[in-house]
Amino acid sequence: MTTDTALRPPDLASPARSRLAFAGLAVGNLLVLLDTSVLNVAVPDLRRSLHPSAAALPWAVDAYTVVFAGLLLTAGVFADRWGARRVYVGALAAFAALSALCATAPDVGLLIAGRALLGAAGAGLVPASLALLITLNPDPARRTRAIGAWAALSGLGAAAGPVLGGGLVELGGWRLVFLVNPPIAVAALLLARRLPTTPGRATRALDRPGLLLSTGALGALTFGLVEAGIQGWGAPPAWGPIVLALLGFVTLTVVERRVAAPLLPPALLALPRVRAALVAAAVSCFAFFGGMYLIDVWLQQAQGRSPLGAGLASLPLTFPVCVMPFFTGRLVARYGARPVLLTGMSAAALGGVLLACCAGRHVPFPLLVAAELALAAAGTLSIPGAAAEMALAAPPELAGTGQGALNGIRQSGSALGVAVLGTLGTLAGAGYVLIVVGALAVLVIAGATSRARRAAG
C-alpha cells in the first residue's frame, strides 16, 4: 500500500476540502465497524427466521470477519497497484450492493455467502482509507492525532451497531440491519469526491499462495474453534480443522520465505515494536469484539431482554469507542505507545476478572457495566495505540504493509474472539479466558518493548 507521495498540494489546497475528505474516510470505515457489531443483537431473530443449525449460526457473524482478515494484506497490494482512491470508491460501491443482497437472503447458507463477500468489500476499504489518511497528514505528529480521530469517528459504527441493530430488529426484523448500509455508503461516496486522486503503482507482485494459505488457515482455525464450542474439543469436526489450520500456517511460513514479495515481509516482523503492536491489536479486538458478541447474546438469552434493550445495556462497552481514541492519539504522542498498550492489555485482564465474577443469570448490573468499561478501555487504548505505533515503527518502505498487517490481525482477533468467547455461553467462562490472554499479552508486549528500548539505547 502506497503513501501516495506523488500527490500534488493543490489537491488539498482548501482546509474545508481536506475536512470533507477526512469525513469521507471516517464514514467509509464506520461501515466496516458497524457490520462487525450490528448483527450481534439480531442473532436470536435470525435464528427464529431462518432456523439455521447451531454450527451455521456463528458463521453468519464470523464469515464477514474471517474473509475480511484474510484479504486485508492483499487489499493493500491492490491499493498500490490500482490507486488507493480507486480501490476505496470501488469497495464502497460493492459494500452497498452486497448489503442489499444480504437483506434478501432466503436461507442461512446464502446469508453466510453474502457476509463473506461483504467482508471482501470491507477489506478494500481499510487499507485504502489508511493510505489516503497518510497522504492527507504527512507530518508524523499530525498523523498520530488524525489516526486517533479517525478511529474515534469510525468507532461510531461499533458503538451504534448494537443499539441501531436492536432498534431495527424490533422495527422490522434482521433484514433491516443490512438495509442501513446502502444510504451510509452513498453518503461516503459523495464525500469521496473530495478525496485526492492517487496514482497506481505496480510495485508489488500479488502473493497468490500467501493469500490462499492465510485465508484458508484462518477459516479452518475459526471453524474448528466454533465447532469446539458447540460439540466439545474432542469432536473430529473441531480438532480436524484446527490441525488443518496449523498445517496451513506452517506451510505459509515455508512458502513466504521463498516468494519474492511475501504478504508479510520478515524484515517487518523482526522489529520488536511492530510485534508489540500486532499482539496488542489482536488481543484487544479478541477481548472487545468477542466480549461484545457474547454480552449482546447473553443479555437476550439469559436475562430475556429485547434486542433494543440488549443494545442499550451494552452502551458502556461501545460508547467509549466514539470518545477515547481522540485522547489515545494524544497519549501516544506525549508518553509513547508502551504505557498505553500495557494499560490496554491490563484492562483486558481486568475485564476478565470482572466477568469471572458474573456467575449465573442474576448478575448485578453495576458489575456488568464495570466489566464492559474495562473491555472498552482495552479496545480504545490498544487499537488506536497499536495503529499509531505501527505508523511510527514500520520503515517508510513497509508502512503500507505494516498497516495492512495490523488491520488483518485485528480482524483475525475479532473473528477468533467471536468464535471462542461467543461459544462459551457464560460470562464467567469468558472471563477466565480473558484473564489468561490479557496477562500473557502484558508479558509479551513488556518484553518486546524492553528489547526495542535496549536496541535503541
Side-chain angles (χ1 to χ4, degrees):
M1 185 168 56
T2 180
T3 57
D4 302 314
T5 54
L7 177 67
R8 291 185 294 274
D11 286 336
L12 300 175
S14 167
R17 181 185 179 91
S18 180
R19 287 194 293 270
L20 287 173
F22 175 82
L25 297 176
V27 170
N29 201 58
L30 178 148
L31 274 174
V32 174
L33 290 179
L34 180 67
D35 265 55
T36 62
S37 61
V38 72
L39 195 59
N40 290 355
V41 294
V43 167
D45 184 66
L46 181 65
R47 182 188 292 112
R48 290 189 294 268
S49 173
L50 298 183
H51 307 289
S53 66
L57 185 61
W59 279 98
V61 176
D62 243 356
Y64 174 83
T65 46
V66 169
V67 174
F68 188 13
L71 292 180
L72 272 168
L73 284 171
T74 301
V77 177
F78 284 140
D80 270 344
R81 296 171 69 88
W82 298 341
R85 186 179 185 274
R86 181 182 299 176
V87 170
Y88 185 73
V89 170
L92 270 176
F95 206 97
L98 290 166
S99 295
L101 289 176
C102 286
T104 64
D107 56 57
V108 73
L110 290 177
L111 177 60
I112 291 171
R115 286 279 289 173
L117 292 173
L118 202 60
L125 289 174
V126 176
S129 66
L130 278 168
L132 291 165
L133 185 66
I134 291 172
T135 298
L136 291 170
N137 300 276
D139 177 68
R142 182 181 172 187
R143 184 185 306 163
T144 299
R145 293 191 296 271
I147 288 174
W150 174 80
L153 293 174
S154 303
L156 285 171
V163 178
L164 179 62
L168 291 172
V169 169
E170 292 195 3
L171 182 65
W174 65 268
R175 297 183 190 276
L176 289 184
V177 166
F178 292 102
L179 292 179
V180 75
N181 288 340
I184 298 175
V186 169
L189 282 169
L190 293 175
L191 290 170
R193 298 169 59 191
R194 306 284 182 174
L195 292 171
T197 302
T198 54
R201 300 186 184 91
T203 55
R204 291 185 62 193
L206 183 61
D207 181 13
R208 291 181 177 86
L211 166 64
L212 294 174
L213 286 168
S214 60
T215 305
L218 177 61
L221 178 61
T222 308
F223 182 86
L225 290 170
V226 171
E227 289 296 314
I230 297 171
Q231 301 188 34
W233 289 97
W239 58 258
I242 292 175
V243 171
L244 184 62
L246 294 176
L247 292 175
F249 284 125
V250 171
T251 305
L252 177 64
T253 303
V254 175
V255 169
E256 292 297 275
R257 291 178 178 176
R258 299 179 179 178
V259 297
L263 284 176
L264 195 56
L268 190 65
L269 284 178
L271 301 172
R273 291 172 62 190
V274 167
R275 294 199 299 271
L278 293 174
V279 170
V283 172
S284 59
C285 286
F286 178 94
F288 182 83
F289 289 102
M292 182 192 303
Y293 176 82
L294 173 62
I295 290 171
D296 284 338
V297 174
W298 182 85
L299 285 168
Q300 294 178 73
Q301 293 183 345
Q303 294 200 334
R305 295 176 185 258
S306 67
L308 179 59
L312 291 173
S314 64
L315 274 178
L317 174 59
T318 56
F319 181 74
V321 179
C322 308
V323 181
M324 273 300 297
F326 284 109
F327 301 100
T328 301
R330 290 174 170 81
L331 289 173
V332 173
R334 182 171 183 179
Y335 300 107
R338 186 176 193 267
V340 173
L341 296 182
L342 288 175
T343 303
M345 295 299 94
S346 300
L350 174 61
V353 171
L354 294 170
L355 285 178
C357 299
C358 296
R361 295 186 177 185
H362 304 290
V363 174
F365 190 65
L367 178 60
L368 182 61
V369 168
E372 290 182 343
L373 290 173
L375 295 180
T380 55
L381 288 172
S382 302
I383 295 173
E389 177 73 338
M390 181 66 75
L392 296 173
E397 68 274 12
L398 296 177
T401 301
Q403 291 296 340
L406 184 74
N407 283 282
I409 202 164
R410 278 179 54 188
Q411 295 306 319
S412 300
S414 300
L416 295 179
V418 171
V420 175
L421 302 185
T423 53
L424 288 174
T426 66
L427 299 183
Y432 294 127
V433 172
L434 287 174
I435 291 171
V436 175
V437 172
L440 288 175
V442 168
L443 295 175
V444 171
I445 292 172
T449 51
S450 295
R451 287 193 293 272
R453 281 184 169 185
R454 289 194 298 268

